[in-house]
Amino acid sequence: MTPDTRYLFLSAQHSEALNHLLYGINEKKGFMVITGGIGTGKTTICRKLLATVDQSVDSALIFNPALSEMELLATINHEFGIKSGPGRKTKKRHIDALNRFLLKNFSAGRNAVLLIDEAQNLSRGVLEQIRMLSNLETEREKLLQIVLIGQPELENLLTSPSLRQLNERITVRYHLTPFSYDQGKNYILHRLAVAGGDNGVPLFSAPAFRKIHSYSRGIPRRINAICDRALLIAYSRDSDAIGRNIIREAASDIGSGYLTDRTRLRSKRNRLIFFSLLVVIIIAMFAVPTTREMFVDLLSNANFSK
């Protein structure tokens, strides 16, 4: 469940997202944004990026965005190894120290990148402070490349009127979506192979793969959780094969957010069908005479003279 880059499965979209970031950093584009739902692999890509960038790139990673503006500046300088020196710590002192570091980096032919994970939790004040950091530049290049990584709410936050100036400076954007069925299946096989599994033995059956995709909705973190529990169940039963029943049991064991969402959707669909049928019956009752009325009409019009 941790963002272990050894297990990173670079699907087409994850490779594209990583290439977007590498392009933005190498070309010194300034602001970049990567968004995606919970568990779609954003943090893992972030870790992979840090392991992939050239040695001439200094990096700072912030994964706790619940910071004030002053705390943000202090954390950035700490991550870059910048010492503020003695005296009272102010915004100006932090920014001046950062600017000196970046200029020295630039003179040495180096680059600097700041990555902020869970950026949807940043306050507007902190985001505005981050925008101000993008003003640290030469006539031709940005001295600091800034990558904001967060859930889809981040895009909504950036489009607010108060952050329009920041939003207009973003030159690289990418949104991660859940896996398709085939991507999810290949993802599972990849992780099994990295863990030392024998690809010659079909551990998961075809119906099991379909169930995993159905319960996980293609979200990698959910796939991990379901498969991990399924492997534990199979191990406890000394079984060398995992079918759809074990997957169903695994999803049930995990609980909320897996089977419950499907149950809620099924229940909602059943209620919709029930009420639709009820409406049809009510309309039919008002549109067509009742059986009693039809019987009365038949008697009154009957000819008994014969």
Side-chain angles (χ1 to χ4, degrees), residues 51 105 157 210 212 273 282 287 300 306:
N105 244 22
L157 181 61
R210 288 192 289 271
I212 293 169
I273 293 173
I282 292 173
S300 62
K306 296 181 180 181

Side-chain angles (χ1 to χ4, degrees), residues 3-255:
D4 190 340
T5 54
R6 292 180 305 158
Y7 286 92
L8 177 63
F9 173 73
L10 284 177
S11 67
Q13 64 163 339
H14 286 81
S15 294
E16 191 172 356
L18 183 60
N19 289 333
H20 271 63
L21 293 176
L22 290 172
Y23 164 77
I25 293 170
N26 292 332
E27 297 300 319
K28 299 184 177 180
K29 292 296 183 179
F31 269 111
M32 290 152 271
V33 170
I34 298 292
T35 57
I38 297 172
T40 51
K42 301 183 299 298
T43 301
T44 305
I45 284 184
C46 176
R47 302 282 184 177
K48 179 64 175 180
L49 176 67
L50 292 176
T52 305
V53 291
D54 190 84
Q55 293 296 318
S56 64
V57 178
D58 291 301
S59 61
L61 172 61
I62 295 177
F63 51 87
N64 176 25
L67 301 170
S68 66
E69 297 170 40
M70 182 72 77
E71 289 171 336
L72 173 73
L73 293 172
T75 303
I76 292 173
N77 286 359
H78 175 75
E79 288 293 311
F80 278 127
I82 302 170
K83 295 181 180 179
S84 301
R88 182 170 174 267
K89 303 299 186 291
T90 63
K91 281 186 182 181
K92 185 178 185 305
R93 286 177 62 88
H94 285 308
I95 294 174
D96 286 347
L98 177 59
N99 192 40
R100 287 193 298 271
F101 166 80
L102 294 174
L103 286 171
K104 183 178 179 181
N105 244 22
F106 174 75
S107 299
R110 299 181 64 80
N111 197 355
V113 57
L114 167 66
L115 298 101
I116 302 179
D117 202 3
E118 300 294 343
Q120 76 279 353
N121 295 322
L122 292 170
S123 67
R124 282 176 169 78
V126 170
L127 281 169
E128 180 61 19
Q129 180 64 69
I130 292 171
R131 182 186 71 83
M132 297 299 292
L133 292 180
S134 68
N135 291 332
L136 303 177
E137 57 189 358
T138 66
E139 292 181 355
R140 297 181 180 180
E141 297 177 335
K142 295 290 184 182
L143 294 176
L144 179 63
Q145 320 314 315
I146 302 172
V147 181
L148 301 178
I149 304 169
Q151 296 172 25
E153 294 87 343
L154 175 60
E155 278 291 352
N156 298 331
L157 181 61
L158 292 172
T159 55
S160 61
S162 61
L163 294 173
R164 185 180 63 183
Q165 292 188 64
L166 170 58
N167 195 42
E168 290 176 351
R169 295 191 183 194
I170 297 170
T171 56
V172 176
R173 297 175 189 264
Y174 199 89
H175 180 72
L176 293 170
T177 58
F179 285 145
S180 66
Y181 168 78
D182 288 335
Q183 288 174 332
K185 180 179 178 180
N186 291 333
Y187 172 72
I188 295 169
L189 295 175
H190 167 78
R191 290 184 67 95
L192 288 174
V194 173
D198 185 355
N199 288 332
V201 179
L203 184 61
F204 290 86
S205 68
F209 280 121
R210 288 192 289 271
K211 277 294 182 185
I212 293 169
H213 182 71
S214 176
Y215 289 137
S216 69
R217 297 191 290 283
I219 299 173
R221 186 180 298 170
R222 290 183 171 222
I223 293 175
N224 293 353
I226 293 171
C227 289
D228 182 71
R229 183 59 60 91
L231 288 167
L232 178 61
I233 293 172
Y235 171 76
S236 66
R237 296 174 183 174
D238 198 23
S239 173
D240 58 0
I242 296 176
R244 60 187 300 172
N245 290 335
I246 289 182
I247 298 301
R248 186 183 295 111
E249 185 177 344
S252 179
D253 285 351
I254 295 171

